[in-house]
Amino acid sequence: MQTRESNQAFNFDKYPTFEKDIDLKQRAWIEVKGEALETNVRQLRSKLSKNCEFMAVVKADGYGHDAKVVSEYAIKGGASQLGVATLKEGMKLRSVGVKKPILILGNLYTKRDLIKSFKNDLMPTISSIRECLICNNIGKYFGLKFSLHLKVDTGMSRLGFDCNKFIQQFKKIQSFDNISIEGIYSHLSSADEPDSLDPKSATQLQRQKFEGLLRQINVDRNKDIKIHLANSAGMLLDKNFHFHMVRVGLSMYGYNPLLNMDKNLSLKPALFLKVKVAFIRIIDKGVSVSYGGKFVSSRKTKLAILSIGYADGVPRNLSGKIKVIHNNKLYPQVGSITMDQMMVDITGSNEIKIGSTLVLLGSDGDKTISPVDWAKESNTIPWEILCSFKNRLPRVQVD
């Protein structure tokens, strides 16, 4: 039996023993292209109405890209504000030194959470008088004004003041001495639908309802209140949706939610999903592969086993429906995708070895696989694909 003492020629000390020393590209990882994010923001800002600000939506860890990296490059590209979903997301950005205004798009309703929001200079989204009263009392206690945004429900039926009661409630809120209304906003439910330019569409009706409320409260008299309605789709749809600010998510990451519009928009995907080959085996004709044996080889087959699976965020229902890229060639995934591994048919390839890097999402040569492709195959939306990648996939920043 070989021991450390008996094998003095082997230098154990040069190999990592701590997690921080492990190669991030040892198994599978996500590459985040900061330059693409910055370029996308600059390009999208060029489409905005004059004096319209750009809020970069970096919730869900920057749509799976790494919120810190996304925030840094979005700000470089000209984003003036950031949007997150939770208090924890906002606090994390503050802890890494982000100074820009941050809006919490989710609902904070306890005094404890609202105090944390106040102390971390985070603006909460407020949807009721109850939370306004809490914020006012917090501001009064500290002798300062509590900055926040008011949300109005114009058709999403999610967060927001009841549209029919907002006028009366807004007048009451204006009387609170320790609240600073930094913004008023609503959210579009269907801006990426094909009929969104139709005057009778849900999207246009939401805009009209929102504008009607703004006229009644004479919000234009107060230039310090930022009015915002548009998400990525609304922003690209029509400048009538721009107001004082837009909240941009998906398109900032390189994907156009309005595929049939604005052919001059050339966004660059900022995320590449890569994996290394962990093992190679050859099976005979008629051999089943993976759980359930749903794939059976029709010929002698060479398989590459990749160390990535649904525990990393690759949907199991994509089994047998996706491909991977290596040196500008596509290879089909076969058999059921498992928790930690998947198999790829590389029959005929002499290039792919153990340790070779394959691309699951992104480009290699002129071949590209997009989250949009995966979304179509799994009957979902690209937002869900991007947000599904788990933390055990290291994020590696590249320019």
Side-chain angles (χ1 to χ4, degrees), residues 290-356:
S290 196
Y291 292 120
K294 294 180 180 178
F295 175 83
V296 178
S297 58
S298 60
R299 50 166 164 69
K300 193 171 185 178
T301 302
K302 188 176 183 181
L303 295 176
I305 289 75
L306 312 184
S307 294
I308 191 170
Y310 60 77
D312 299 290
V314 181
R316 191 173 185 273
N317 67 4
L318 286 177
S319 298
K321 299 177 182 177
I322 59 175
K323 296 181 180 180
V324 302
I325 317 172
H326 182 265
N327 284 350
N328 202 31
K329 295 179 183 177
L330 293 167
Y331 298 91
Q333 185 276 323
V334 295
S336 296
I337 294 171
T338 68
M339 185 180 290
D340 313 298
Q341 297 171 82
M342 67 170 67
M343 280 59 75
V344 173
D345 183 347
I346 60 168
T347 305
S349 171
N350 294 317
E351 299 176 331
I352 300 175
K353 315 284 186 184
I354 293 177
S356 293

Side-chain angles (χ1 to χ4, degrees), residues 86-119:
T86 69
L87 175 61
K88 185 176 180 180
E89 289 177 343
M91 291 174 67
K92 185 175 181 180
L93 289 179
R94 288 288 186 243
S95 73
V96 295
V98 176
K99 304 295 185 185
K100 291 288 185 182
I102 298 175
L103 173 63
I104 300 173
L105 298 164
N107 196 39
L108 303 184
Y109 55 89
T110 68
K111 183 177 180 180
R112 179 175 178 271
D113 285 349
L114 287 165
I115 288 174
K116 285 187 176 182
S117 173
F118 180 82
K119 286 188 171 183

